[in-house]
Amino acid sequence: MKEEQSLFANYLKSKGLKMTSARRTVLRAFIKSEGHLSAEDLLAAAKKIDPGLGQATVFRTLKLLSDAGLAQDACQEEGPRRYEHVYKQSHHDHLICIGCGKMIEFCHPEIEKAQNEIFKKFGFRGTGHKLELRGLCADCARKLDEENK
Amino acid sequence: MKEEQSLFANYLKSKGLKMTSARRTVLRAFIKSEGHLSAEDLLAAAKKIDPGLGQATVFRTLKLLSDAGLAQDACQEEGPRRYEHVYKQSHHDHLICIGCGKMIEFCHPEIEKAQNEIFKKFGFRGTGHKLELRGLCADCARKLDEENK
DNA sequence: ATGATATTGATAATCATTATCAATTAATTT
DNA sequence: AAATTAATTGATAATGATTATCAATATCAT
Ligand SMILES: [Zn+2]
Ligand SMILES: [Zn+2]
Ligand SMILES: [Zn+2]
Ligand SMILES: [Zn+2]
């Protein structure tokens, strides 16, 4: 928490940007948050700290947090963009049930390794990736089978 | 081509929907297309066949093609949704340069295999996945290094 | 051909995000 | 500590992509 604070502060200073109370508010709300949250979610959380906060500021600050390496956009389901913590957070990918929306986070080392091979093969300097597996969870698969019976 | 025609016709019939000239136009334009195209792209192509075609129809038909299994949405870069052929097309994933936008399609069997393991591990019935690797191509990496020199 | 129903294109509406801008605030310099 | 400079803010308008609405039209099983 304190660490994320100073990481963000350093980032801002390095870019000639200012640490403001609005940004502190958004950062605090983001740090307290969990999972994948949209700008709207974060605005709601931040307004509990400062009701006067504007929504544009949340969009702007979320982008800064992303540039600063504190946030990254999580799986791109339909709907608004969603962010999650990246600082001190282990990398993971997402498995989503297209029936009920349930989401599972996982990390598969071999996939990660294979991705590096791809980068090398095509002469790329890898910076990241997004992997999203989609399917039916056991419950939803069963339900579907019964319906089609 | 003829095959995609009849696949689509069958899909429509199975859903109680109608094969119309507008849908035939969109399908023809889609079949002739290559790569990843947006609704706007497809509208432009389809208007060359029938200038009176409405854009809403393209959005609607693209969704139908997707439901029918002829199209799927390709990598989700910023901007509008993009579709690509799926019928008789081998599966592939995408490698994108964040510098110049260059995109490479690849398929890595081990990644595919590992994904099936994940599905099994969590009791899912897999239906698909989207993997997007991001990085700098050799050219862009070199340019960046020189700038930061 | 007839009738029931799906479809069309035009248009308005929606949703998420960005741009604009005058007033305010933060960091620097005196 | 005040003045200076430039970035930031919140409100609001604008944008871009997509979806909803609806009266007129086209399709298809009968
Ligand atoms: Zn996650
Ligand atoms: Zn489920
Ligand atoms: Zn592709
Ligand atoms: Zn490049």
Side-chain angles (χ1 to χ4, degrees), chain A residues 100-129:
Chain A
C100 62
K102 179 189 308 172
M103 169 163 1
I104 293 172
E105 301 187 334
F106 69 89
C107 186
H108 195 297
E110 284 179 44
I111 292 182
E112 304 295 319
K113 203 193 306 169
Q115 289 176 345
N116 288 330
E117 287 170 19
I118 305 282
F119 282 131
K120 197 187 295 180
K121 174 173 175 186
F122 291 102
F124 269 57
R125 180 180 305 172
T127 58
H129 65 262

Side-chain angles (χ1 to χ4, degrees), chain A residues 124, chain B residues 97-102 136-140:
Chain A
F124 269 57
Chain B
C97 173
I98 59 177
C100 62
K102 181 191 307 173
L136 287 169
C137 71
D139 288 350
C140 288

Side-chain angles (χ1 to χ4, degrees), chain B residues 53-143:
Chain B
L53 194 81
Q55 83 168 160
T57 301
V58 172
F59 277 96
R60 291 185 283 232
T61 308
L62 221 23
K63 186 167 292 176
L64 289 174
L65 289 173
S66 184
D67 293 342
L70 299 186
Q72 67 186 356
D73 51 329
C75 57
Q76 173 67 16
E77 269 297 81
E78 291 296 279
R81 190 176 297 165
R82 291 178 176 280
Y83 293 84
E84 62 184 352
H85 290 259
V86 58
Y87 178 62
K88 270 194 175 176
Q89 186 100 358
S90 64
H91 167 76
H92 62 262
D93 293 301
H94 298 106
L95 169 60
I96 298 162
C97 173
I98 59 177
C100 62
K102 181 191 307 173
M103 171 167 355
I104 293 172
E105 301 187 334
F106 69 89
C107 187
H108 194 297
E110 283 178 43
I111 292 182
E112 305 294 320
K113 205 194 303 169
Q115 290 176 345
N116 289 330
E117 286 170 18
I118 304 281
F119 281 131
K120 198 187 291 177
K121 173 174 175 185
F122 291 102
F124 269 57
R125 179 181 303 171
T127 60
H129 66 261
K130 211 186 294 183
L131 170 60
E132 198 177 298
L133 302 189
R134 311 172 62 99
L136 287 169
C137 71
D139 288 350
C140 288
R142 180 155 18 82
K143 264 177 223 156

Side-chain angles (χ1 to χ4, degrees), chain B residues 9 17 19 21 42 51 102 120 122-123:
Chain B
L17 304 176
M19 174 56 89
S21 71
L42 187 53
K102 181 191 307 173
K120 198 187 291 177
F122 291 102

